[in-house]
Amino acid sequence: MRTESHGTDAGFLSGLMENPVVGMAPWIIFSLLVGPGRFELSVTLALVTAVGLIVLSRVVNRGTSWKLLELADVVFFAAMAVVGLLASAGTLRWLETYAGEVANITLAVIAFGSMAVRMPFTIQYAREQVDPSIWNTPGFLRTNYVITGVWGLAFLVAAAAGAYGDLVLHNPNNIWTGWIIQILAIVAALKFTDWYPDVVRARAVRQATGQGPEPPPTAALLVPLAGLLVPIGIAVLIFDNMWWLGVALIVAGSLLTKHLQSRSHVPG
């Protein structure tokens, strides 16, 4: 039983380390945590996470290839840590205010840049999960272009929200621009990364054989986003003055989640 459990745990870790979302974890941590008085903490946590993930990846998946995103993680956050140590008080205040947008824009550039050079960054992770005979098939390539593009858009949305809070509202800690909108964008990209490959596979099977299960419906993609409306409503009740909006979000989230769950079942 212990050997079987150990093998299961190792298999879970191996699969986890082959997920591109893991490579984005340091950036997500940094962009959500950084703010006035939190630059050193956020950049330290991001750098430790980046280095730790590389070490864990090499331990769990020996012989795995180096990833563009892994290298970008360490280079970017090591550089930010050095800048933070050497920066003047004025530069540090600028970083505390705008470093989240810098990180999100950098990630968007990585995403769209990797697509421009015909190597969407998710493909390096995806190739380790499928047979090499699939690597150059149109469906596999298109899937990675789409997922990489969705992540690029998510980071652009997060950057735009942060910039609006900083430049227009002059409030880096605004609950909507600093947290809610950015979290929704990331969660949407996370869920899409999980949902879209299943859709592509199901469509390919049905196109090739005329049989097989229906692709996961769009409702399955939207359920977690609808579910987020409830904790968002609670956060608005606690941290914002618009209590009526908090109540409305909680009610709408509960009803919408129930409705979407009833439509997200896929017949076999």
Side-chain angles (χ1 to χ4, degrees), residues 102-182:
V102 172
N104 283 316
I105 291 172
T106 301
L107 263 180
V109 169
I110 291 173
F112 293 124
S114 69
M115 293 170 66
V117 298
R118 301 180 182 274
M119 183 60 73
F121 73 82
T122 60
I123 207 168
Q124 293 179 302
Y125 295 89
R127 282 178 174 174
E128 296 183 350
Q129 302 178 49
V130 301
D131 189 90
S133 62
I134 301 175
W135 288 3
N136 295 315
T137 59
F140 179 76
L141 296 173
R142 183 170 58 251
T143 298
N144 281 279
Y145 273 101
V146 171
I147 292 175
T148 300
V150 166
W151 275 105
L153 289 174
F155 287 114
L156 283 180
V157 169
Y164 186 84
D166 294 336
L167 298 174
V168 178
L169 301 180
H170 303 292
N171 181 10
N173 292 318
N174 180 272
I175 188 173
W176 289 97
T177 59
W179 299 90
I180 293 176
I181 295 174
Q182 296 193 42

Side-chain angles (χ1 to χ4, degrees), residues 24-46:
M24 286 178 275
W27 302 82
I28 295 171
I29 291 171
F30 180 75
S31 63
L32 292 178
L33 286 182
V34 72
R38 300 191 300 272
F39 179 79
E40 294 90 344
L41 173 64
S42 56
V43 77
T44 300
L45 288 176

Side-chain angles (χ1 to χ4, degrees), residues 8 17 26 31 37 40 42 50 78-79 91-92 121 148 164 198-199 205 214 267:
T8 302
M17 299 311 298
S31 63
E40 294 90 344
S42 56
T91 301
L92 189 58
F121 73 82
T148 300
Y164 186 84
D198 292 338
V199 173
V205 170
E214 289 283 347

